[in-house]
Amino acid sequence: MDITNLIIFLAVGALAGWLAGNIMKGRGFGLMGDIIVGVVGAVLGGFIFGLLGITTGGLIGAIIMATIGAVILLYLISMVKKA
């Protein structure tokens, strides 16, 4: 992975984390937290999409997949905080 791919990966993670925070009613964690949530959400989304047999392509597909994974992650975090 070269530096360009790393920057794109972090930008997609930040965007996905920010979108997920807005979808989940402002449960974002700031810039670094959103990047972490977006990156972990991208991994989670990729795993879930793989289990379902869904493939995405391109930048938009990666953003959608990462956002869905980040929303699921934020939901799970909110469930753990309530317990």
Side-chain angles (χ1 to χ4, degrees):
M1 177 180 274
D2 62 350
I3 191 72
T4 305
N5 288 338
L6 180 63
I7 291 171
I8 291 171
F9 186 68
L10 292 176
V12 167
L15 181 60
W18 177 77
L19 286 171
N22 285 335
I23 291 170
M24 295 297 289
K25 300 177 186 164
R27 292 190 180 140
F29 295 104
L31 178 62
M32 289 306 295
D34 284 347
I35 290 173
I36 293 168
V37 166
V39 168
V40 174
V43 172
L44 180 64
F47 177 73
I48 291 171
F49 276 37
L51 287 177
L52 297 174
I54 301 171
T55 59
T56 61
L59 185 61
I60 300 298
I63 291 171
I64 291 170
M65 182 179 59
T67 302
I68 291 171
V71 166
I72 293 170
L73 180 64
L74 286 177
Y75 177 75
L76 292 174
I77 289 171
S78 69
M79 295 302 288
V80 169
K81 281 187 177 180
K82 287 182 184 179

